[in-house]
Amino acid sequence: MATRKTEEKITALYERLSRDDELIGDSNSILNQKKYLEDYAASHGLANCRHYTDDGWSGGNFERPAWKQMIADIEAGMVGTVLVKDLSRAGRDYLQTGFYTEVFFRQHGVHFIAIANNVDSDDQNSSEFAPFLNIMNVIFKPVASLQAPIVPEW
C-alpha cells in the first residue's frame, strides 16, 4: 500500500511597499514588515511561513507579481493562512481588497489576519470594521503619496 505524504499548508506572509509609502518612514519598510510578520507567526504557532514580497508596487494595482503568485498558491490549495501587517498592505482599492478578504480567501478556506487592524477572519467580531478600514485606505492613499518627511525649520 502506498503512503501519502501530507504537507503542511503555507502561512503566507505578504509584504508590500509602494514608492509612495517610502515617504512615510521606516515603519513600513519591507524588512520591518517581514520581522513583524515573522514575530507574529512565531508567537501564534503559525509554521511553514513563506514570504510574498512586492517592493515598489502600488496598493491600487492587483497585478503585483508576488500577490499574483500568492493567489495562484491559494488556488492550488497550498496556503492555509495569509498574514499582512495591515489591510493597506493587501491593497488600497476597497472593492478589490474586500473581494479578497471577504470572499476569495473564505471560498478557499484561507484564514486571513491583518495584524495592526485586529482583523481576523476566524473572529466574526474583528471583521466588522474591515470594510470601513478599506475605504479609509482609499481616502488616505492620495494623502500618503503627497506626504514628505517633516523637517523642522529652526
Side-chain angles (χ1 to χ4, degrees):
M1 175 190 263
T3 58
R4 186 174 167 191
K5 183 180 177 186
T6 303
E7 293 183 24
E8 187 176 353
K9 289 199 175 194
I10 293 168
T11 297
L13 309 180
Y14 182 76
E15 307 92 17
R16 182 191 61 77
L17 184 70
S18 73
R19 295 296 168 229
D20 295 338
D21 291 329
E22 289 177 347
L23 299 174
I24 295 172
D26 288 341
S27 65
N28 282 331
S29 77
I30 292 295
L31 291 176
N32 286 344
Q33 286 181 57
K34 284 183 175 184
K35 178 161 180 21
Y36 187 74
L37 296 176
E38 289 168 358
D39 289 349
Y40 182 92
S43 69
H44 288 80
L46 298 169
N48 197 21
C49 295
R50 180 182 298 172
H51 289 279
Y52 295 83
T53 306
D54 283 317
D55 195 358
W57 288 85
S58 168
N61 175 3
F62 281 86
E63 294 300 313
R64 302 169 286 202
W67 180 264
K68 287 172 64 175
Q69 180 60 58
M70 183 180 72
I71 295 303
D73 289 349
I74 289 169
E75 289 173 331
M78 298 167 48
V79 176
T81 302
V82 171
L83 287 181
V84 295
K85 178 184 173 202
D86 58 53
L87 283 168
S88 72
R89 298 306 91 203
R92 290 194 184 269
D93 175 318
Y94 82 95
L95 290 175
Q96 196 75 1
T97 303
F99 166 74
Y100 284 110
T101 61
E102 299 295 321
V103 178
F104 182 84
F105 293 155
R106 290 175 196 256
Q107 286 177 340
H108 289 85
V110 173
H111 181 194
F112 175 75
I113 302 170
I115 302 166
N117 301 121
N118 293 314
V119 172
D120 183 331
S121 64
D122 283 356
D123 179 357
Q124 185 64 33
N125 294 326
S126 76
S127 298
E128 290 177 356
F129 291 104
F132 175 73
L133 293 169
N134 283 331
I135 291 170
M136 295 305 291
N137 285 329
V138 172
I139 292 169
F140 285 108
K141 181 181 179 231
V143 174
S145 67
L146 295 174
Q147 286 182 343
I150 298 173
V151 179
E153 295 178 333
W154 302 105

